[in-house]
Amino acid sequence: SLADGEFSPVFRLLTIFAYGTYADYLAEAANLPPLTEAQKNKLRHLSVVTLAAKIKCIPYSVLLEQLQLKNVRQLEDLVIEAVYADVLRGSLDQRNQRLEVDYSIGRDIRREELSTITRTLQEWCQGCEVVLSGIEEQVSRANQHKEQQLALKQQIESEVANLKKTIKVTTAAAAAATSQDPEQHLTELREPAPGTNQRQASKKTSKAKGLRSSAKIWSKSN
């Protein structure tokens, strides 16, 4: 109702403070109520916020043109006021003649901008779903790798345990095979092996026969 009544200029000025810029006000200044210096500076601050939403490094030349300021000194004073008012945070790059914005407040949204915002949020949600899917896939791969490593570890431990058992049994069998009772060992050393006496007796008999034969040959020759 304000837009169509006698207060339409005031309503239009309100919408400029909500959505517009100082340049918008200058374009319609003839049909709008006049502004005080404080109101002009406030609208200039909001205009810087609108620019910061589009570009984070704003050249001084663009700011001077959009804010209708005469020199750099006025521009820097205005930016410093905006920083102290917590409208934005950033730094003035005097060497490169630009404003570097790190943060700025948000402004009101026009109805016609809702579809764009909705589309942007949908794209953001889709991107989040893709990232989440990738994370879940990585987690699944990590869990599979962990299970494989645990299974491999158990297999190695089982093989090591079996190998230890085999070595233990083999060592015990070898020790049992090589160990003897001391008395039995001494008895075996004292007693000759079977067949040894017979060989020695046969050797003596052969030697005696040889001597007898030699004696007979000697007596015949004499």
Side-chain angles (χ1 to χ4, degrees), residues 64 68-79:
L64 289 172
Q68 291 296 303
L69 296 174
K70 296 179 181 179
N71 52 56
V72 173
R73 177 62 182 273
Q74 290 180 348
L75 173 61
E76 291 181 346
D77 290 343
L78 179 73
V79 171

Side-chain angles (χ1 to χ4, degrees), residues 114-167:
L114 291 176
S115 59
T116 303
I117 295 174
T118 302
R119 184 174 61 255
T120 302
L121 291 175
Q122 289 176 348
E123 293 175 354
W124 179 79
C125 290
Q126 292 174 357
C128 290
E129 290 177 356
V130 171
V131 173
L132 182 60
S133 176
I135 293 174
E136 291 176 350
E137 183 178 356
Q138 293 296 326
V139 170
S140 177
R141 290 180 180 177
N143 290 334
Q144 291 178 358
H145 180 70
K146 181 180 178 181
E147 292 176 357
Q148 292 175 357
Q149 292 299 316
L150 288 175
L152 179 62
K153 181 181 178 182
Q154 293 176 355
Q155 180 181 357
I156 293 174
E157 290 177 350
S158 177
E159 291 178 356
V160 170
N162 293 333
L163 184 60
K164 286 182 178 179
K165 290 180 181 179
T166 303
I167 293 174

Side-chain angles (χ1 to χ4, degrees), residues 42 45-46 49 81-89 103-105:
K42 178 66 175 179
H45 292 169
L46 296 175
V49 171
E81 290 177 3
V83 171
Y84 277 107
D86 204 23
V87 174
L88 59 88
R89 288 196 294 267
Y103 159 82
S104 63
I105 63 173

Side-chain angles (χ1 to χ4, degrees), residues 110-116:
R110 294 185 176 93
R111 289 184 179 274
E112 56 268 20
E113 295 176 345
L114 291 176
S115 59
T116 303

